Amino acid sequence: MDRANRKCVMLLITPTSYRGGAFNAAAHRLAIDVVHGIDVPDTLSREWDVELPLDFSRPHVSTDRIADFVADHPVDAIISVDDSASILAAMATSRLGLPGNDPNAALAARDKHVMRRLLAEHGVPVPVFRAFPAYADPLATSTAIDFPCVVKPTLLSGSRGVIRANDPDEFVQAVMRTRGVIHDDGETLESATVLVEDFIPGFEVALEGLLDAGELQVLALFDKPDPLDGPFFEETIYVTPSRLPADVQSAIADCTRRAAEALGLREGPVHAELRVNEQGPWILEIAGRSIGGLCSTILEFGTGYALEELILMQATGTRVRGMKRNAGAVGVMMIPIPSGGILRSVSGIEEANQVPGITGIEITARVNHSIVPLPEGSSYLGFIFARGTTPREVEQSLRDAHDRLEFRITPEIRLRTVAIGNSGR
Ligand code: ADP
């Protein structure tokens, strides 16, 4: 393609993102140029020779920087690869007049309390919720709570700090633990909020979609066949197509569309998590981004397009409406961390790879490094991918492969500096 006619996208990305590779590969296949806006401190950016260093935690300053950069290097779209830059992407696209979401919609999708308020105001089914200052006395607040409930921070993701409590005692423990997660993430307890919601029993699904001028195209509906009843909520298996009846699936799509509309999300990828029970679907969360981790690698559309290609095509003005996921069932297991410590070794990968239906295994945790389970941790040991003729078959392949993997984890001995008393020196 004539270079002058090539499209260019700016990808906003963190150095630790799993998702960059897939977006870069998609851009390459589509012959789209890419500039990376990377969340790195200025000092490191010189060392790493980063073209456009940004600070995602300072979206106003970073928007100015993007605008200056784009004045000399025009781009057709700005895409946040992960959740962390969704507000910045919305602010920058709105400043530059590029297609994107309203910054207020991006903000609502990032803050669980704002999200709950907007969804409830628009009549979208969400759990009953209450917000408390993180420093509030949990014993006193427990009197205002119905049990079972779910305690969660408002600004974190990946189920970090999300804890179920069945009674006032568990509630006090849960709040203390969630506070610790908030604090360790660098937020001050004085300004932080803890959200407490009714626990919604039911079957959980995740919907992957694309919004085009507010219209929702469902790309995949994933069942999560492992029960997610707490106390912590670690993601494990995702399988698509969903085994739910067609009318339930369309109710889920409708609920997601209403949730996006309530928040004001109109353009680009959406990822929603819902629970379904006899009362119908409930929105747990909706975000203006695509599915996280390496999960998207199992999805293929039309004549072999990846999810990231669809996102880039739509962002640069190519219609993708009507493009369907290819036939067959696919699934992924995010390998849970069984216990905290130091990961010493992983065995059984070859045997697991030989399980019929398994298409790949990626161990992303690093050997001899510390691994932290939920609710404090924020990652998995890795991913198992599978393909088959039915969702049941795919689920079984994932379970069989997981059974063959063995992770040796030894306890971590944490060293602590201790103040030495009056030693006379
Ligand atoms: P995060 O954005 O950190 O993933 P979520 O609010 O999506 O946080 O919660 C993570 C998981 O916790 C959900 O996928 C679900 O399994 C569980 N969960 C959260 N809130 C509720 C609730 N009110 N009722 C039942 N389960 C919940």
Side-chain angles (χ1 to χ4, degrees):
M1 192 188 289
D2 175 5
R3 193 153 180 86
N5 292 328
R6 278 169 75 114
K7 302 274 186 182
C8 181
V9 294
M10 180 183 290
L11 296 179
L12 303 181
I13 190 162
T14 60
T16 51
S17 172
Y18 286 124
R19 310 273 290 117
F23 273 96
N24 288 333
H28 181 74
R29 282 195 297 269
L30 296 169
I32 291 175
D33 291 329
V34 174
V35 282
H36 295 99
I38 306 182
D39 186 29
V40 279
D42 281 340
T43 40
L44 256 186
S45 77
R46 282 188 285 276
E47 215 167 289
W48 290 0
D49 200 17
V50 173
E51 198 177 7
L52 177 57
L54 297 168
D55 180 349
F56 291 175
S57 66
R58 299 173 70 205
H60 289 280
V61 177
S62 295
T63 301
D64 290 343
R65 222 183 233 193
I66 291 175
D68 285 348
F69 182 90
V70 168
D72 296 328
H73 311 82
V75 297
D76 298 283
I78 299 176
I79 291 174
S80 169
V81 167
D82 307 291
D83 244 356
S84 55
S86 55
I87 292 170
L88 172 58
M91 284 171 65
T93 48
S94 128
R95 164 94 72 93
L96 298 167
L98 295 170
N101 285 313
D102 184 290
N104 286 329
L107 187 69
R110 280 283 286 150
D111 182 319
K112 291 176 192 182
H113 185 209
V114 178
M115 187 192 305
R116 283 283 177 266
R117 261 199 334 242
L118 277 174
L119 293 174
E121 273 167 27
H122 286 79
V124 181
V126 286
V128 172
F129 64 95
R130 288 194 167 82
F132 299 99
Y135 58 77
D137 173 13
L139 195 57
T141 46
S142 70
T143 53
I145 307 291
D146 289 326
F147 293 101
C149 71
V150 177
V151 174
K152 55 174 83 167
T154 52
L155 299 180
L156 295 182
S157 56
S159 304
R160 282 181 71 207
V162 180
I163 306 172
R164 172 177 169 160
N166 295 312
D167 56 42
D169 279 351
E170 285 185 12
F171 177 75
V172 172
Q173 297 303 319
V175 172
M176 304 302 276
R177 211 158 163 182
T178 300
R179 272 184 190 170
V181 177
I182 293 172
H183 176 265
D184 289 351
D185 195 65
E187 204 185 338
T188 58
L189 289 184
E190 285 67 35
S191 60
T193 298
V194 165
L195 196 61
V196 184
E197 303 177 351
D198 283 1
F199 174 82
I200 305 290
F203 184 72
E204 196 161 314
V205 293
L207 183 145
E208 200 60 25
L210 261 187
L211 287 166
D212 184 0
E215 241 184 275
L216 176 70
Q217 177 181 0
V218 178
L219 297 175
L221 181 62
F222 290 96
D223 287 346
K224 303 189 190 183
D226 276 338
L228 285 156
D229 290 331
F232 314 128
F233 299 91
E234 196 159 42
E235 303 266 33
T236 54
I237 295 180
Y238 273 47
V239 179
T240 192
S242 170
R243 279 168 268 183
L244 292 170
D247 60 329
V248 178
Q249 294 195 29
S250 44
I252 289 168
D254 189 53
C255 188
T256 307
R257 187 190 50 72
R258 287 172 56 206
E261 195 175 280
L263 263 53
L265 290 172
R266 294 183 52 80
E267 295 291 340
V270 270
H271 177 83
E273 314 270 344
L274 301 95
R275 289 236 157 169
V276 195
N277 56 27
E278 58 289 346
Q279 289 164 275
W282 302 74
I283 284 277
L284 288 184
E285 184 176 42
I286 176 162
R289 60 164 171 87
S290 51
I291 193 168
L294 296 175
C295 300
S296 72
T297 53
I298 55 173
L299 298 174
E300 208 178 86
F301 303 88
T303 50
Y305 290 106
L307 174 65
E308 293 75 14
E309 286 176 86
L310 262 51
I311 294 170
L312 292 181
M313 282 156 78
Q314 194 218 22
T316 54
T318 305
R319 266 181 85 80
V320 296
R321 189 148 282 283
M323 225 182 259
K324 293 249 177 320
R325 196 183 69 77
N326 290 347
V330 288
V332 54
M333 178 190 265
M334 289 155 254
I335 307 171
I337 296 176
S339 61
I342 305 281
L343 176 63
R344 292 297 176 193
S345 64
V346 185
S347 53
I349 297 179
E350 224 168 274
E351 294 87 321
N353 255 319
Q354 273 154 25
V355 170
I358 295 300
T359 52
I361 295 173
E362 290 269 349
I363 303 300
T364 44
R366 291 197 289 163
V367 168
N368 293 328
H369 280 70
S370 165
I371 49 171
V372 184
L374 283 174
E376 284 80 16
S378 62
S379 58
Y380 310 102
L381 292 174
F383 301 85
I384 308 174
F385 308 100
R387 169 177 295 282
T389 33
T390 65
R392 186 179 305 279
E393 204 178 283
V394 167
E395 180 186 336
Q396 197 55 52
S397 299
L398 293 169
R399 295 194 191 286
D400 290 348
H402 184 236
D403 284 348
R404 285 166 177 72
L405 292 176
E406 203 176 313
F407 297 91
R408 195 167 71 81
I409 298 161
T410 57
E412 184 169 7
I413 300 157
R414 285 192 181 270
L415 297 179
R416 204 156 53 91
T417 39
V418 286
I420 299 174
N422 187 357
S423 61
R425 279 185 286 166

